[in-house]
Amino acid sequence: KQEVTQIPAALSVPEGENLVLNCSFTDSAIYNLQWFRQDPGKGLTSLLLIQSSQREQTSGRLNASLDKSSGRSTLYIAASQPGDSATYLCAVSNQAGTALIFGKGTTLSVSS
Amino acid sequence: SQTIHQWPATLVQPVGSPLSLECTVEGTSNPNLYWYRQAAGRGLQLLFYSVGIGQISSEVPQNLSASRPQDRQFILSSKKLLLSDSGFYLCAWSPGYEKLFFGSGTQLSVL
């Protein structure tokens, strides 16, 4: 059974700092991996999707990497801003068209 | 463009009362549809998913049920709510193999 773990559960950084959020999964036979952002009391917004054949994806200040063999993904946020404060969730899909399995998320707080 | 609507945004219900949460998607056809629940201190738990009208797969045995009466409509129901049904319910859709798009969620409090 696939399990997704995110460490740390919470992270506080000053504005401008570069940071890395970690995600690990127990079954390396994934179809794809996605990173989401969730603001308090809101739905989830997809940030980046990495197919199993890809190593990384970039969008603006965000860069997500994938190492299937070790069952790990990282989300790198450059030059963090207070507006980046949110919970970031990692999710994997084991097969095409199947539902995502989520981690519990990392709650990020960026202070000005 | 595609949009997903989920309502109500908040709901307070007594124990033993029925539940009906509705989700609709616009701008696409034959989407995969999902219901997730997010309880305090826990991750997102997949409750149901559907790949077509009348096709429902349940991931977790529980007090809830789901139905898909139309291609772009997904309904989450319960005949009698339990305290443990409290949580944040999220509807989502996907074109099948790519990104998952979420609704704004329903905060359900069962008292």
Side-chain angles (χ1 to χ4, degrees), chain A residues 38 42-43 51 96-97 99-100, chain B residues 36 38 46 88 96-98 100 103:
Chain A
Q38 185 178 27
K42 305 293 184 183
Q51 301 290 356
L100 295 175
Chain B
Y36 282 88
Q38 189 174 36
L46 177 65
F88 192 52
Y97 304 101
E98 299 298 330
L100 198 61

Side-chain angles (χ1 to χ4, degrees), chain A residues 31-32 34 36 38 41-44 46-49 51 89 96-100 102-104, chain B residues 32 34 36 38 41-44 46 49 51 88 90 96-105:
Chain A
Y31 180 74
N32 63 37
Q34 294 187 46
F36 293 85
Q38 185 178 27
K42 305 293 184 183
L44 280 69
S46 180
L47 297 174
L48 291 164
L49 179 148
Q51 301 290 356
L89 295 108
T98 60
L100 295 175
F102 283 81
K104 293 183 179 181
Chain B
N32 286 358
Y34 308 85
Y36 282 88
Q38 189 174 36
R42 303 179 65 178
L44 273 163
L46 177 65
Y49 70 93
V51 298
F88 192 52
L90 288 157
Y97 304 101
E98 299 298 330
K99 287 184 178 181
L100 198 61
F101 300 91
F102 282 84
S104 54

Side-chain angles (χ1 to χ4, degrees), chain A residues 23-66:
Chain A
C23 171
S24 61
F25 43 94
T26 54
D27 185 350
S28 62
I30 64 171
Y31 180 74
N32 63 37
L33 181 145
Q34 294 187 46
W35 282 94
F36 293 85
R37 169 183 172 141
Q38 185 178 27
D39 293 292
K42 305 293 184 183
L44 280 69
T45 301
S46 180
L47 297 174
L48 291 164
L49 179 148
I50 309 178
Q51 301 290 356
S52 61
S53 59
Q54 298 175 322
R55 296 282 297 184
E56 65 177 348
Q57 283 287 325
T58 298
S59 176
R61 295 182 293 108
L62 306 179
N63 176 277
S65 68
L66 174 64

